[in-house]
């Protein structure tokens, strides 16, 4: 587990977020199934002394998709006076709730899948 003051700035869906381990946040819809993990782009890793920048940080933050949800309903109304022009439109943003599972070098080792070496025995008769 990373230190409590360790944080990362990640980019998801064209937006940047400052996150800590264990946090949950709503981001634009991510094309990952619920319950699966993914590794967002890392822009900065800080908190332990000097902040680190660069491509060498790839895969050091692991996030789990908690749920796909709909945002709050937003209603947009247009009106022009004296013309009878009225329009009412609305939408609900499609969002994904993610949970930051780990930050730091341990994230890269956790996310790598263990290779299972199962051998099948064939019996010759």
């Amino acid at each position: 587990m990373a230190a409590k003051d360790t944080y990362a700035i990640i980019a998801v869906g064209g937006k940047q977020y400052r996150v800590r381990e264990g946090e949950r946040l709503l981001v634009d819809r991510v094309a990952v199934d619920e319950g699966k993990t993914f590794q967002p782009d890392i822009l900065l890793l800080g908190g332990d002394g000097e902040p680190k920048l660069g491509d060498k940080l790839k895969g050091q933050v692991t996030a789990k998709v908690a749920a796909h949800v709909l945002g709050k309903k937003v209603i947009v109304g247009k009106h022009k006076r004296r013309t009878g022009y009225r329009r009412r439109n609305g939408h609900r943003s499609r969002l994904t709730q993610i949970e930051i599972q780990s930050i730091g070098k341990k994230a890269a080792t956790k996310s790598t899948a263990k290779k299972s070496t199962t051998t099948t025995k064939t019996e010759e008769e």
Side-chain angles (χ1 to χ4, degrees):
M1 188 171 189
K4 237 181 184 183
D5 57 345
T6 302
Y7 67 92
I9 296 179
I10 61 172
V12 179
K15 297 178 184 171
Q16 298 175 4
Y17 302 93
R18 182 177 191 248
V19 296
R20 294 179 185 259
E21 194 169 317
E23 277 188 351
R24 285 182 168 232
L25 62 144
L26 287 173
V27 298
D28 288 337
R29 184 67 57 104
V30 178
V32 178
D33 294 333
E34 288 186 24
K36 302 271 176 119
T37 60
F38 70 100
Q39 295 173 340
D41 296 332
I42 306 169
L43 304 175
L44 182 130
L45 191 62
D48 298 341
E50 196 67 27
K52 298 176 188 169
L53 294 169
D55 295 332
K56 59 187 172 194
L57 302 174
K58 188 90 173 147
Q60 291 189 9
V61 173
T62 305
K64 178 183 177 185
V65 174
H68 293 298
V69 295
L70 287 175
K72 216 172 127 176
K73 184 175 275 193
V74 177
I75 297 180
V76 179
K78 296 181 182 180
H79 172 61
K80 291 188 180 178
R81 62 183 187 168
R82 293 190 298 268
T83 61
Y85 176 82
R86 289 185 184 153
R87 299 288 180 265
R88 184 171 179 223
N89 203 350
H91 73 284
R92 294 181 74 182
S93 299
R94 292 177 172 85
L95 303 172
T96 298
Q97 185 177 28
I98 63 171
E99 179 181 357
I100 306 301
Q101 290 185 326
S102 58
I103 295 177
K105 294 195 185 273
K106 292 182 181 180
T109 58
K110 281 184 182 178
S111 64
T112 56
K114 292 181 181 177
K115 294 180 183 177
S116 61
T117 55
T118 57
T119 58
T120 57
K121 296 180 182 180
T122 57
E123 295 180 18
E124 295 180 15
E125 294 180 8

